Amino acid sequence: MTCPGDWPEPVVRVQSLSESGKPIIPDRYIKPPPDRPSVNSSPPDINIPLIDLAGLTSDDLAVREATLMEISVACREWGFFQVINHGLKGELVDGAREIWREFFHESMEVKQKYANSPKTYEGYGSRLGFQKGAILDWSDYYFLHYLPSSLKDHHKWPAQPPSLREVVEEYSKEIVRLGKVLLEVFSINLGLKHDYLQNAFGGEDIGACLRVNFYPKCPQPDLTLGLSSHSDPGGITFLLPDENVSGLQVRRAQQWVTVKPARHAIIVNIGDQIQVLSNAVYKSVEHRVIVNPDKERVSLAYFYNPKSDLLIRPAPELVTPTTPAIYPSMTFDEYRLFIRTRGPQGKSQVDSLKSPK
Ligand code: OGA
Ligand code: NI
């Protein structure tokens, strides 16, 4: 199925709805009762693991090994963790988040210049998926490509605020560096050659793209979601949360755990392609975002992805008579089309891939 050239319905900016000050949200943002935020929330003292990446470069072998082990456990048991001492300066992460907040507070006229279409999703958008009549999420976003360089086009990045492009360049470079570090750590932890995953992703030819999410204040936060439950389709996601407003929830068993971000931390999660490559030793975990009546929220989701036309399949070393390959080979391009067509729908896409035994 190919993507249509335009959205099936007129685009409504959630920010405009929010700013209209109406006390009631339109019906098309109202989720069915089982999907609403109040159902199955976990106790507030539970959080995803917090890992100090400084341990990876410690002079002490025991510390390095303990750090690898913490990451291994987090990948197997949570699929989500937050990292500190990741090498990105505090000013850079704060600066990146705040420059995007400023962008969303530019006039509608400025933002509309970048209005996106379902063909590439690049630019300023307000929905994922193009099914007519779909129930929508309470958020706007901005999507752009950094890698491969053939897809990077500064003209598709906002020209305002003036330093945005420079800040995004610097932030992107650091995220790609961190992505390489973590792919190596995951390879080692999975018992693969240290460069296995980086090579499986295409070596230097990986993909990296950024979705900045803007969750406006919502007058009826109990009825809707900022982002519906989904797993990330790509390789690894690096999420820079808004430290002032929580909102991200991670599924753990039948409960939703609200992530409490540490200062200057970056949240890391496993995407569907690592689930496939690891033959489900690591799982991409469902997550969603709830919204707030008094506070807007900004987050930067950086997707570190395999080169889009490479076949992704379970690593042969992880396929054994007792653990047969559970996924067929598929390129990331083919895979991504599922989500772009239907919008966020839990984990149905990676689950539907499972090869029949
Ligand atoms: C995403 C995502 C979470 C957040 O963009 O894929 O899960 O906290 N974002 O905004
Ligand atoms: Ni996500």
Side-chain angles (χ1 to χ4, degrees), residues 125-183:
S126 295
R127 67 186 287 168
L128 298 166
F130 43 81
Q131 270 171 353
K132 208 170 157 93
I135 297 180
L136 301 179
D137 290 339
W138 192 264
S139 54
D140 301 319
Y141 63 88
Y142 201 100
F143 181 67
L144 60 81
H145 287 286
Y146 177 66
L147 287 176
S149 342
S150 57
L151 288 183
K152 181 167 93 173
D153 180 356
H154 270 193
H155 293 108
K156 294 182 181 168
W157 299 16
Q160 270 168 272
S163 61
L164 184 142
R165 290 174 180 165
E166 199 182 315
V167 173
V168 173
E169 279 287 338
E170 194 185 346
Y171 183 77
S172 303
K173 200 170 95 207
E174 288 295 314
I175 290 288
V176 169
R177 179 194 54 75
L178 188 57
K180 288 185 179 155
V181 170
L182 284 180
L183 275 190

Side-chain angles (χ1 to χ4, degrees), residues 6-13 28-29 126-127 132 136:
D6 214 345
W7 302 107
E9 288 136 343
V11 175
V12 177
R13 302 303 175 188
R28 51 188 329 205
Y29 295 91
S126 295
R127 67 186 287 168
K132 208 170 157 93
L136 301 179

Side-chain angles (χ1 to χ4, degrees), residues 80 128 211-215 227-228 230-233 237 239-242 247-249 267 269 287-289 297-303:
F80 255 90
L128 298 166
R211 187 169 70 225
V212 183
N213 299 297
F214 183 75
Y215 304 98
L227 187 52
S228 293
H230 66 284
S231 64
D232 292 344
T237 304
L239 183 90
L240 180 64
D242 195 324
L248 174 62
Q249 295 188 318
I267 297 164
N269 67 284
H287 51 286
R288 66 178 192 183
V289 176
R297 180 171 178 272
V298 176
S299 71
L300 275 61
Y302 226 115
F303 305 108

